[in-house]
Amino acid sequence: MAFQRNMDMKKCPMPSQDPNVRNKNFDEVALGYTYEMAVNEARRCLHCKNKPCVSACPVAIDIPEFIERVANEDIEGAYEIIHRSSSLPAVCGRVCPQENQCEGKCVRGIKGEPVGIGRLERFVADWHREHNTEAPKMPEQNGHKVAIIGAGPSGLTAAGDLAKMGYKVTIFEALHLAGGVLVYGIPEFRLPKAIVQQEIDNLKAIGVDIETNMVIGKVLTIDELFEMGYEAVFIGSGAGLPRFMNIPGESLKGVYSANEYLTRINLMKAYRPDSHTPIKHSKNVAVVGGGNVAMDAARCAKRLGAENVYIVYRRGMEELPARKEEVEHAMEEGIIFKTLTNPVEVLGDADGMVRGMKCVEMELGEPDASGRRRPIVKEGSEFELECDTMIMSIGTSPNPLIRTTTPGLETNKHGCIITEEETGLTSREGVYAGGDAVTGAATVILAMGAGKQAAKSIDEYIKNKNK
């Protein structure tokens, strides 16, 4: 060790756009560490021998080792360590909930703030992208074919790991662009699409084929994929079917699911003046829900020029499931939080357009099955909230298309595919699954972990089959 540890109690702040500037554009909010900031922050890491941060990483990146390389100013060496475990480091460095995972276990967080692991991962991935000129090396082929359904985080990860093992991998993606939730769900200001595309291009460079506009269950079935010579199939089709509250007025014009709203903006670029799929520019927007997707929808609405954007959530600020950073950014950008509030009816005008919501105030009672305190309606608390657009962000479930066209594929009551926890194997031989198609809507990094686990299992399955 040729450097002195940095014993600052707080992590180096991340430079970002001014809130009153960024809430009018779709450029990335967080600007990233400079070289000096990254090296200084890396030197806060104690390089613990027992590595508690690694145990909390779903893809098991050797965090102390990559950070030690940054501290020693070997940035390319740091990238090599990260890339052994993660196919999408520039993505994870931006959207991973590090506070609940690696940083949540950081020893420096006991008496101060944890090391900025996510910020350092982002810095290393960006530095590599900007400075590396070598094309990824094509692995030696082993003669076996695997099909991946869905080009989201779990599918891309499984494809990358299998391709590195020598498999001929084809991803079948329903949309016209690869990336899944990374391109249709997460806004440009949190995750620039050029970065996602670069990660996808890297996979193509090591031999991964991506077939777009391929709706499996419609164009081809899983059984037909096996007939085409694929020896195993991984289902990473996500959970893109939106849920609604089933309250009066939900069919009025101006009611969106968060999925539709964000897909129009992120994938179809509806915020541009020349867009072929324009979206309503609203004056008052109410987003129902309190997760990261709700924050994304609300912040997009603000950037589209809405005067008032409300987060309507039936529990309190302490119970918001969204990342702390996303909530703070939303508040800085002028999003109004109406917590302990629940809509009971969408109100319309004579033309069938949304004009507001009838809401009730809530209070928190005893904990429910999830461990969170159950919201209870306050008697006589009805009020109207003026809005011309309502966005429902209360969760999603897997599309039923694959399960209804694949005989013998077992799912639970929520439509999620049932798998073996350790392997990702489904009830069908040779068919594996992971990510939101199994768990329901969850995080990018958990989906990546499932893709990584399934790739290992698929490799073992095909090797054993061909002994």
Side-chain angles (χ1 to χ4, degrees), residues 51 61-62 76 130 149 175 181 281 329 359 406 413 462:
K51 305 180 181 183
I61 293 170
D62 194 338
E76 191 59 29
E130 291 162 10
I149 301 171
L175 296 176
V181 71
H281 288 245
H329 281 171
C359 300
T406 310
K413 64 180 181 180
I462 291 176

Side-chain angles (χ1 to χ4, degrees), residues 105-181:
K105 296 287 186 181
C106 178
V107 171
R108 290 302 307 267
I110 296 171
K111 293 185 178 179
E113 291 185 351
V115 174
I117 298 169
R119 297 172 182 183
L120 290 172
E121 183 179 14
R122 168 187 165 151
F123 169 79
V124 169
D126 289 355
W127 192 94
H128 171 80
R129 188 176 66 255
E130 291 162 10
H131 292 84
N132 182 62
T133 55
E134 286 185 29
K137 293 178 182 175
M138 177 74 78
E140 186 178 338
Q141 298 288 293
N142 64 17
H144 299 284
K145 289 169 59 177
V146 177
I148 307 284
I149 301 171
S154 63
L156 294 174
T157 300
D161 281 15
L162 286 163
K164 289 172 190 174
M165 296 174 196
Y167 289 92
K168 183 60 185 169
V169 180
T170 304
I171 301 176
F172 296 92
E173 167 56 43
L175 296 176
H176 63 282
L177 279 179
V181 71

Side-chain angles (χ1 to χ4, degrees), residues 33-41 123:
Y33 277 163
T34 63
Y35 188 95
E36 293 74 19
M37 287 174 179
V39 171
N40 191 43
E41 181 61 23
F123 169 79

Side-chain angles (χ1 to χ4, degrees), residues 206-273:
I206 60 171
V208 175
D209 288 332
I210 301 178
E211 301 277 348
T212 56
N213 301 309
M214 292 293 287
V215 183
I216 300 302
K218 208 76 170 167
V219 181
L220 290 169
T221 65
I222 286 176
D223 288 333
E224 286 172 329
L225 290 175
F226 281 114
E227 290 169 10
M228 291 164 64
Y230 293 99
E231 295 175 62
V233 174
F234 174 74
I235 304 170
S237 51
L241 189 66
R243 293 180 189 155
F244 288 87
M245 293 182 71
N246 297 319
I247 58 176
E250 275 187 327
S251 60
L252 289 167
K253 298 172 188 173
V255 178
Y256 294 88
S257 71
N259 256 32
E260 179 192 354
Y261 193 77
L262 290 170
T263 299
R264 280 172 174 261
I265 291 169
N266 300 328
L267 187 65
M268 314 303 290
K269 308 301 179 192
Y271 58 87
R272 293 178 180 168

